[in-house]
Amino acid sequence: MILSMTTKAPKLFIPRQTLSEIEHLCMNTSGAGPAPEVCGLLAGHIKADHFRVSKVLAMDNSAESDLPHRYRIDAQAYMEAERSFELRGLQIIGIFHSHPGTSAEPSQLDRDYFFPGWVYLIVGLLSGGLTEHRAFTKFVSPADAIIEVSIQVLDHEAAPW
């Protein structure tokens, strides 16, 4: 169940250039058969229920050979990325991944594996080269609710707090 919040909705602040980088990564998959999901980490800061993306890091999809409509980030690669971001004063605040050939609506599998307190940016790769961006977060209460996060694209690096 995705809840919609009318007051104090969570926001994702992301520089236009960073969003373009994510879109480029998601659109440039290769290989035969169904395109695998592309995934990566979002790093930055969280303040209250707002997320500010400063850096992204594409990650290898270790589930690619299992099923094309899944992503998995290797635990060792995740820990190395986390250490690298921490050295730069950043924290991992979420994940981005693509939905090749479909909308940016989270699948049931996505919802089941969302970590509470992180933001999930989904890039739907639609027909005709069109894309759709949506973001979500999971709250522990009420009942593991999934909330859509509004995306505020910035023309500069600094997010207004």
Side-chain angles (χ1 to χ4, degrees):
M1 165 171 84
I2 296 176
L3 299 179
S4 159
M5 296 180 75
T6 55
T7 60
K8 257 196 145 187
K11 289 185 181 175
L12 171 66
F13 296 97
I14 186 166
R16 186 173 309 282
Q17 181 177 346
T18 304
L19 187 58
S20 294
E21 178 184 346
I22 291 169
E23 188 174 274
H24 179 76
L25 289 166
C26 291
M27 293 179 75
N28 290 305
T29 60
S30 61
E37 288 192 3
V38 173
C39 60
L41 300 173
L42 303 171
H45 297 93
I46 300 171
K47 183 176 180 182
D49 54 359
H50 295 336
F51 305 90
R52 182 179 71 200
V53 176
S54 299
K55 298 283 182 199
V56 297
L57 179 63
M59 302 294 285
D60 288 334
N61 180 352
S62 63
E64 183 179 327
S65 61
D66 300 338
L67 293 170
H69 300 293
R70 280 196 180 163
Y71 71 90
R72 183 181 311 123
I73 295 173
D74 176 75
Q76 184 64 37
Y78 171 86
M79 290 187 304
E80 290 170 11
E82 184 175 49
R83 277 192 296 268
S84 175
F85 285 132
E86 286 176 354
L87 290 173
R88 293 186 266 169
L90 302 172
Q91 68 185 90
I92 295 174
I93 63 170
I95 297 203
F96 73 86
H97 76 278
S98 65
H99 279 186
T102 188
S103 74
E105 179 75 22
S107 68
Q108 186 59 53
L109 190 64
D110 289 338
R111 294 174 198 181
D112 290 344
Y113 286 95
F114 281 175
F115 292 138
W118 275 19
V119 65
Y120 290 82
L121 177 63
I122 302 173
V123 179
L125 303 174
L126 310 172
S127 61
L130 299 175
T131 60
E132 173 186 41
H133 309 94
R134 292 176 71 191
F136 302 88
T137 192
K138 181 177 188 173
F139 288 103
V140 175
S141 180
D144 293 330
I146 305 292
I147 307 292
E148 185 154 7
V149 175
S150 78
I151 300 171
Q152 184 163 350
V153 180
L154 305 170
D155 289 321
H156 48 81
E157 292 294 319
W161 291 114

